[in-house]
């Protein structure tokens, strides 16, 4: 965003809480942290030169490699001079014609346009468990992992949470810990990543094909460079259907979903897919009781974020790994020496890891202390759930633009694709506002229509059936239950954004600054 606005000749400055660039990949340094999109398309598309000069080393890049890439981008385009690092925003208020931003360090900034690039998964969700402060060991949230690392060699480790982060961290922690105890509330589906080094010839092939790769991404449902199969899975004989699933399983990664048409819209297709994945858990985990506990039965496949893994289910065959079902026997308290369950059972621990995710999509924005027209707090405007227009702005908050905000495809897509689409769209809007000396904010009517459409798009899928999903805010106590991302598909969404701009932004109230003055 900074690069794009700077290219338009607009004065722009970024405020960043971290002491370095990288966002997600600056903070999430937990063992096993790795991308679940493949490296050749989990990267920027705005520069052909950048595409050609960077060499990825793995199919699925790890945290350190992605952070190195983002640092390279910041240096290559001379972006660091446009940022204040180690700067945390404490509040941001619309002052009638400008935004006034205060920081925890006592600085005050003013700007005509405020763009939030706070990410969808950046507000760590640490569960409020009685007794945590009394724990004599050390505890960490995966999204706030110490930069110096945590040595678990020979120590008793507990992990709370088996979402995508826990699924990545658990095998790595188990390899070093004296004993690892996994506290699972919700069993999860997971697909093998099949990660491997990226050969020189593979990398060269991707670089040669980038134009076509980007074209497929823009036309796809999820911003990935592959299309969903048109095979009618249910029409296949049982052996052919099983072979199709098996081929997709062996290929691994997020492409597994693309091998099965209608998996998120047809319950019968999903049932077949889910049962195949359950059979893989049973055939991988040696102990039938442990396998059953690890088998998801409360939500259809891919209605929660579908993780990919390296030896996740195999890890439960290790003698130093225990699985605790905290849905059957909930955590009652953290004690000085470990974790106590409702049954009275105690698990002694030296290190406690919370892989409990984030206050997703709306949480990072609420954390900014935003106040719009007439001093209305965003927290009050969203008391019944996050509401935006196109995920790009909020009624009552003039000249505020939200990159991958609630109501946009965001977390249901390859994030760089969605981020770049928003950056380009916001930059074009700002250029229009500057040229005509206008302020802009979504109209309440357009925002209400979009909220209805977001809900309809979700209801046309099986996604809302995962009652415990963070897509609905279900992982945060007291959070309103609203389906937060847009499930209608990236290409469809991009088309609607383009139509909005081409029509002169009818969903926005455009007000002359001269008249306002």
């Amino acid at each position: 965003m900074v690069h794009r606005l700077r290219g338009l000749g607009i004065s722009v400055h970024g405020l960043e809480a971290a002491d370095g660039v990288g966002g997600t990949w600056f903070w999430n340094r937990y063992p096993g942290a790795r991308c679940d999109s493949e490296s050749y398309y989990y990267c920027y598309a705005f520069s052909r030169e950048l595409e050609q000069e960077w060499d990825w080393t793995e199919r699925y890049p790890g945290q350190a490699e992605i952070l190195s890439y983002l640092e390279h981008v910041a240096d290559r385009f001379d972006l660091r001079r446009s940022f204040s690092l180690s700067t945390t925003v404490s509040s941001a208020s619309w002052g009638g014609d400008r935004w006034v931003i205060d920081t925890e360090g006592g600085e005050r900034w003013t700007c005509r346009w405020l763009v939030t690039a706070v990410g969808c998964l950046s507000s760590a969700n640490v569960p409020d468990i009685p007794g945590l402060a009394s724990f004599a060991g050390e505890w960490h949230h995966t999204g706030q992992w110490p930069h110096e690392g945590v040595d678990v060699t020979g120590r008793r480790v507990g992990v709370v949470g088996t979402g995508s982060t826990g699924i990545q961290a658990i095998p790595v922690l188990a390899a070093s810990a004296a004993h690892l105890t996994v506290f699972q509330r919700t069993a999860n589906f997971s697909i093998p990543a099949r990660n491997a080094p990226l050969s020189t010839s593979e990398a060269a092939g991707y670089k040669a094909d980038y134009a076509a790769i980007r074209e497929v991404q823009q036309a796809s449902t999820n911003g990935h460079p592959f299309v969903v199969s048109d095979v009618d899975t249910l029409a296949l004989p049982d052996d052919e259907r099983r072979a199709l699933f098996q081929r997709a399983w062996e290929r691994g990664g997020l492409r597994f979903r693309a091998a099965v048409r209608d998996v998120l819209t047809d319950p019968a297709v999903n049932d077949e897919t889910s049962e195949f994945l359950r059979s893989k858990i049973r055939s991988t985990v040696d102990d039938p009781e442990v396998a059953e506990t690890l088998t998801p039965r409360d939500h259809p496949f891919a209605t929660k974020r579908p993780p990919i893994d390296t030896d996740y289910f195999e890890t439960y065959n290790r003698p130093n790994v225990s699985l605790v079902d905290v849905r059957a026997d909930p955590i009652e308290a953290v004690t000085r020496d470990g974790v106590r369950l409702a049954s009275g059972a105690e698990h002694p621990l030296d290190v406690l890891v919370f892989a409990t995710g984030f206050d997703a999509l709306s949480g990072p924005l609420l954390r900014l202390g935003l106040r719009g027209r007439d001093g209305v707090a965003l927290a009050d405007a969203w008391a019944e759930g996050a509401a935006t227009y196109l995920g790009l702005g909020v009624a009552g908050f003039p000249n505020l633009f939200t990159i991958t905000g609630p109501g946009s495809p965001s977390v249901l897509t390859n994030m760089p694709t969605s981020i770049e689409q928003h950056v380009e769209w916001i930059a074009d809007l700002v250029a229009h506002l500057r040229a005509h000396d206008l302020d802009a904010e979504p109209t309440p009517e357009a925002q209400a229509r979009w909220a209805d459409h977001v809900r309809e798009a979700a209801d046309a899928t099986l996604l809302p059936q995962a009652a415990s999903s963070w897509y609905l805010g279900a992982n945060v106590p007291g959070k309103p239950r609203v389906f937060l991302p847009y499930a209608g598909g990236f290409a469809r969404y991009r088309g609607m954004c383009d139509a909005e701009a081409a029509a002169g932004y009818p969903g926005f109230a455009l007000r002359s600054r001269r008249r306002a003055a």
Side-chain angles (χ1 to χ4, degrees), residues 9-86:
I10 294 172
S11 174
V12 57
H13 197 77
L15 305 180
E16 169 57 53
D19 60 13
V21 299
T24 291
W25 303 105
F26 177 92
W27 295 108
N28 287 267
R29 302 177 184 230
Y30 60 86
R34 189 173 296 280
C35 188
D36 57 7
S37 291
E38 293 183 56
S39 56
Y40 74 92
Y41 65 86
Y42 189 81
C43 51
Y44 290 121
F46 68 80
S47 167
R48 295 292 174 255
E49 294 79 11
L50 178 63
E51 285 179 336
Q52 295 302 313
E53 71 192 20
W54 184 263
D55 295 314
W56 295 102
T57 66
E58 291 185 274
R59 182 180 175 192
Y60 294 98
Q63 175 270 332
E65 185 169 10
I66 302 172
L67 181 59
S68 293
Y69 169 74
L70 294 172
E71 290 173 335
H72 169 75
V73 173
D75 293 334
R76 190 196 192 286
F77 297 99
D78 188 26
L79 300 178
R80 293 182 192 269
R81 64 181 169 87
S82 294
F83 280 89
S84 292
L85 302 176
S86 303

Side-chain angles (χ1 to χ4, degrees), residues 29 50-51 61 81 99 101 103 132 135 142 209 263 279 283 307 309 337 346 384 402 435 444 457 478 510:
R29 302 177 184 230
L50 178 63
E51 285 179 336
R81 64 181 169 87
W99 281 94
I101 299 113
T103 73
L132 183 57
F135 183 48
T142 52
D209 290 342
V263 73
S279 74
S283 65
D309 70 88
D337 299 316
E346 297 206 18
E384 296 182 5
T402 53
L510 303 179

Side-chain angles (χ1 to χ4, degrees), residues 103-133:
T103 73
E104 289 184 359
E107 298 172 294
R108 172 162 285 187
W109 298 76
T110 63
C111 60
R112 180 170 168 186
W113 298 289
L114 177 59
V115 180
T116 63
V118 291
C120 300
L121 300 171
S122 59
S123 183
N125 177 39
V126 179
D128 184 15
I129 301 176
L132 183 57

